[in-house]
Amino acid sequence: MTATAPTAPAPPPAGGTGAATPSASRPPAVRRRRLEHGLVFVAPFLLFHLLFLVWPLLLGLKMSLGDDNITGAGGSFVGLDNYVEALGDPDVWSSLWHTVWFTLLSTAPLVLTGLVMALLAHHLRVFQWLWRLSWFAPFLLPSGVVGLLWLWMIYPSDFGLADLLLNSLGLDPGIGWLTDTRYAMLSIVLTTVWWTVGFNFLLYLAALQAIPHHLYEAAELDGAGARQRLRHITLPMLARTTGVVVILQLLASLKIFDQIYIMTGGGPDESTRPILQYVYEAGFTGYRIGYASAVSYVFFALIVIVSLVHLRMTRRSREEAAK
Amino acid sequence: MVTLVVALALVVLWVLPLAWAVATSLKPENETTRTSLEWIGSRVTFEAYEKVWASGDLIRWMLNSAYVSVVTTVLTVLTCAMAAYGFSRTEFRGRKALYGLVMAGIMVPPQVLIAPLFAEMVSLGLVDTYWGVILPQVAVPAMVFILVKFFEGVPRELEEAAYVDGAGRWRVFWTVVVPLSRPVLSAVAIFTFIQTWNNFLWPFLVTTDPSAMTLPVGLVNVQSTYGARYAQVMASLVIAGLPLLLVFAFFQRQIVRGVAHTGLAGQ
């Protein structure tokens, strides 16, 4: 790591933004100090990054090609066998499908409810603390608290709050919220919306507050009604935020594990078991860490695809906007 | 008017489950499974809280969670801020390549690394230790990205003045950059703290000894020992949920701004 001596006048340092900094005219010793200092700043993070992200990523790839036990030792090389097995394993496909199904079911209500909440709060302009407290607060609860609360107090038949409320309306639902394969996933989606919609609510609220006021004033002068202002100003101005909310939501929903593990354990009849739970079962209770790694990488591919599709779509929409 | 009614209806819907948990926790144990909608039992009692508290587990897990969350937050904010500063304000060979390596990490969800990470923890002897829980949660590429974007918006003139006065990189970082970025640093800190405090999957995998568990993991672990004692389960949930709700009540503005900031910049 040697610093090259600058010739005067030196070109601006690579990567610097804008005008040349005084460093360009400094003697070599100072420049070398800067070089070292730069690395010193980055080094601690890089150490963590290499040890706990890059290394496990490579280790996982190696493990996925072997039949190691839980400690990652003592296995032999099996090549692509784990991947071949994973692609032919109906449990992989069904748990992948449950993950995608949960994501499809949960994304629209999470985005729309968040939007409606933000519009309500923004429009009302009073009791801001009340909306924030009641809609955002559940997001701050650990998944363990949320999962156990709904499992033990909301969803049990007869004495659960869900049944009691429906009963008091004169309905006898008789729904096996978490025990009937027809409703279990929907119940988990319901819990998830209650738990996490506050995050999207806040993102939308921040975006709403950033819309310039003069747009509305101009529209009002032109005689636009409340509904027209919503359609022609508010919603278009929120398009970018919606893009962010949707992709964050998709990526978060694909990683579903906690609520399902706590509330149904993947049941009934494994009808709600997500892919991460299958990875957990294969690796940590089935002790097949190589196979678990291979399944992880199949799942990783899914996440990368979603991210890339999103990237292409936003790029295209930006290009169109630029036209 | 309609808007207000709709909003209040949503408030009621969102508060009901929490109110029900609190109500149940204050009932005598034998009244928690009544099949009629009763918010208050024949008497209001704190028995469930006393029993949960007396068992001691909950306090232990809370202290574990607090320790793990504080250490993780400090390490995350420190390493991410330093790295972001190094990437956006210093020059060294390989800077761009290393920044690319870190940014590529944004694509990797930590959840897909659970199997190899666990194997790594076994070989490092960190299973059932605080460091086993903490270390893998520290390096967050997205946080570096957020901070780099912020630092790029800070005018260089502010730092240059300090250089002219003879300050070194370190002094400039601590006395100029860090104070300037207090809002974004506190957003990153609050966000990291919430995430670490509530994280379930990783602590759940890396701790098997109840005395090393964090709050969320411990709660789920003992639900079976409480059996059908619903008042006690709900009392433990109320105790477990309270700290962050209190933090939120105090730091509402910062948290709201922080979520908005990190969420939007997360693109």
Side-chain angles (χ1 to χ4, degrees), chain B residues 115-172:
Chain B
L117 255 182
F118 187 81
E120 193 182 349
M121 289 300 144
V122 170
S123 57
L124 291 173
L126 292 177
V127 173
D128 270 332
T129 67
Y130 292 129
W131 289 112
V133 180
I134 293 168
L135 294 177
Q137 299 192 75
V138 168
V140 186
M143 297 293 182
V144 176
F145 179 75
I146 288 166
L147 291 168
V148 162
K149 288 284 159 235
F150 179 83
F151 289 155
E152 280 172 356
V154 176
R156 274 171 192 258
E157 290 73 36
L158 293 168
E159 292 157 68
E160 297 300 345
Y163 286 128
V164 170
D165 289 346
R169 281 277 177 206
W170 261 110
R171 278 235 351 244
V172 172

Side-chain angles (χ1 to χ4, degrees), chain A residues 2 13-15 17 21-22 26 34-35 37-42 44-46 48-53 55-57 59-60 63 70-72 117 120 123-124 129 131-145 148-154 158-159 161 164-165 193-194 197 199 202-203 206 240 244 248 255 257-258 261-262 276 279-280 284 289 293 296 299-300 303-304 307 314 318, chain B residues 3-4 6-8 10-11 13-18 20-21 24 32-37 79-80 82-83 85-87 90-93 95-96 98 101-102 105 107-109 111-122 135-136 138-141 144 156 160 163 169-170 173 191 194 198 200-201 204-205 216 219-220 223 230 233-234 237 240-241 244-245 248 252 255-256 259-260 263-264 267:
Chain A
T2 53
T17 51
T21 58
R26 284 192 186 176
R34 284 200 149 193
L35 171 91
H37 272 257
L39 260 182
V40 165
F41 277 100
V42 171
F45 182 90
L46 222 51
F48 280 101
H49 191 68
L50 291 173
L51 270 177
F52 301 109
L53 196 138
W55 172 246
L57 200 62
L59 182 66
M63 279 165 39
I70 190 81
T71 61
M117 285 173 163
L120 288 171
H123 182 74
L124 285 166
W129 61 270
W131 321 127
R132 284 175 184 173
L133 203 64
S134 57
W135 296 336
F136 182 70
F139 182 74
L140 292 172
L141 298 173
S143 54
V145 170
L148 295 178
L149 167 61
W150 287 72
L151 171 65
W152 291 123
M153 276 330 338
I154 313 290
D158 298 334
F159 70 90
L161 183 63
L164 291 179
L165 286 176
V193 171
W194 177 82
V197 74
F199 186 80
L202 284 191
L203 290 186
R240 218 180 90 82
V244 176
L248 288 179
K255 293 178 227 156
F257 174 82
D258 302 8
Y261 180 79
I262 294 162
L276 275 179
V279 170
Y280 164 69
F284 291 82
I289 205 115
S293 298
S296 296
F299 171 54
F300 188 22
I303 298 235
V304 171
S307 306
T314 47
R318 249 178 230 158
Chain B
T3 356
L4 189 63
V6 175
L8 288 175
L10 280 174
V11 167
L13 269 179
W14 253 252
V15 169
L16 270 182
L18 294 177
W20 190 240
T24 305
T32 52
T33 54
R34 291 202 174 163
T35 54
S36 56
L37 189 57
T79 57
C80 291
M82 280 173 62
Y85 182 70
F87 281 129
T90 69
E91 288 98 38
F92 54 92
R93 199 169 291 175
R95 185 180 63 98
K96 282 193 165 167
L98 287 178
L101 178 73
V102 171
M107 292 278 270
V108 184
Q111 288 87 343
V112 306
L113 298 178
I114 51 176
L117 255 182
F118 187 81
E120 193 182 349
M121 289 300 144
V122 170
L135 294 177
V138 168
V140 186
V144 176
R156 274 171 192 258
E160 297 300 345
Y163 286 128
R169 281 277 177 206
W170 261 110
F173 176 71
F191 210 58
I194 294 175
N198 289 348
F200 178 76
L201 181 56
F204 164 74
L205 293 176
L219 273 182
V220 172
Q223 57 153 320
Y230 296 106
V233 177
M234 290 306 119
L237 297 189
L244 273 196
L245 293 187
F248 180 65
Q252 242 203 71
I255 293 176
V256 168
V259 168
L264 285 173
Q267 194 185 18

Side-chain angles (χ1 to χ4, degrees), chain A residues 87-110:
Chain A
L87 294 178
D89 182 347
D91 285 342
V92 168
W93 290 109
S94 69
S95 57
L96 258 181
W97 167 243
H98 298 151
T99 303
V100 171
W101 181 227
F102 170 81
T103 306
L104 292 175
L105 281 176
S106 63
T107 302
L110 275 165

